[in-house]
Amino acid sequence: MKEIVDAITSGQATAGDFAALRLPESYRAATLHKSEADMFEGMASVDKDPRKSIHLDEVAVPALGPGEALVAVMASSVNYNTVWSSIFEPVPTFAFLERYGRRSPLGKRHDLPYHVIGSDLAGVVLRTGPGVSAWRPGEEVVAHCLSVELESSDGHNDTMLDPEQRIWGFETNFGGLAEIALVKSNQLMPKARHLSWEEAAAPGLVNSTAYRQLVSRNGAGMKQGDNVLIWGASGGLGSYATQFALAGGATPICVVSSPEKAEICRRMGAEAVIDRNAEGYRFWRDEHTQDPREWKRFGGRIRELTGGEDVDIVFEHPGRETFGASVYVTRKGGTIVTCASTSGYTHEYDNRYLWMSLKRIIGTHFANYRESWEANRLVTKGRIHPTLSRVYPLEETGRAASDVHRNLHHGKVGVLCLAPEEGLGVRDEQLRAEHAEAINRFRVPAAV
């Protein structure tokens, strides 16, 4: 592995040099164990500890198939699906791997007693399989997490509709929280030359998800002048939604849970910010009953910030806790677009405010290759910036996931895999200097 790292950090190795490197037989990876899938049985979600379920193991390098690539992973990051994987919710991910394993001999490689997790990476191509011509060993890349087969016609207008659509590192094995990852070559995209490895690994999943959810015609189709309510606006998803709203001429109304997170939104350029804890919003009277008076109070606060206007779009991902309020505060004819349910999957809302006001609910899930490419292109141009707040070594992946699970983070939490230290991998110092403040915005120390 040292020869691989030396070649990458030298900045001088050629494609031929990388092709000539000997691949190791094994590599270190953050894994879950199938034998422990019931370890948290009977516990409340909040009490489940990723530090107990995530292991650092030495695992075998997988065989390379057609249309695939092996990537030396310099850095990765933690997403909420890492948390779901680590607490075995909503089901243990081994169910996904077993299903994939039944599909084909190539799929069978993924059905193992361990699961290498992680859905982001920044690194260097080591090998490509038969049929790959767009990428060569030595190229610096990031990867989006959409894995598709495209043998059905259903996915050819929008690859997210492929019946065999999976999220790499969540519903497949050999993910990015490791020293080596196996990806399909059509997951690869150019690494931003002005970013370090850990910075380049941070946007990935959440950047593409936010792009489809908010900007794409497959999502809300945001336009200039829209008022956009963004829940968790300083978090992994929300921090990119806030940037897209500002870059696209919309007005973000950022909902956060602390003064520190409110200040982060203001540093991004947002002016309308609601600290929901400080203002005491309680949308549920008890476990079974919502409080419409709180919806109305929340809507009134939004109008104070927008000059009397309701929101055109609600960027939803908390789910059960907030969904009733989201439907209520959306303007007539507006859109609630949802991609997750981190506070619960069973959403409840008063349908009168939906049907009689001609509102729409749109479900989105990650992004197709084109949407991911466009989202990444904005990163490479310095239009959208990483929201990396802190970085852990691969050995502490469990702690990183625990921080995200307990909401002790803001922005994205990174993980160094093969990179020996932070700050490596920058190739365009001039572009970096132009955007240094924005790149480091989330790295400013803040109590969370």
Side-chain angles (χ1 to χ4, degrees), residues 57-68:
D57 289 333
E58 190 85 12
V59 301
V61 173
L64 187 61
E68 295 180 341

Side-chain angles (χ1 to χ4, degrees), residues 137-158:
E139 291 191 282
E140 297 183 351
V141 295
V142 293
H144 70 78
C145 63
L146 174 61
S147 174
V148 292
E149 308 300 331
L150 293 182
E151 292 184 320
S152 166
S153 64
D154 293 349
H156 281 258
N157 279 340
D158 177 5

Side-chain angles (χ1 to χ4, degrees), residues 29-39 53-55 57-60 85 88 92-99 101 107-117 172-174:
T31 68
L32 303 174
H33 294 176
K34 190 173 186 178
S35 61
E36 296 178 345
D38 61 354
M39 68 184 300
S53 58
I54 295 178
H55 304 272
D57 289 333
E58 190 85 12
V59 301
S85 299
F88 306 107
T93 52
F94 294 98
F96 304 141
L97 304 185
E98 290 167 6
R99 188 178 307 128
K108 184 63 177 174
R109 295 171 300 165
H110 295 257
D111 184 8
L112 296 169
Y114 59 86
H115 185 184
V116 180
I117 55 177
T172 79
N173 217 323
F174 316 121

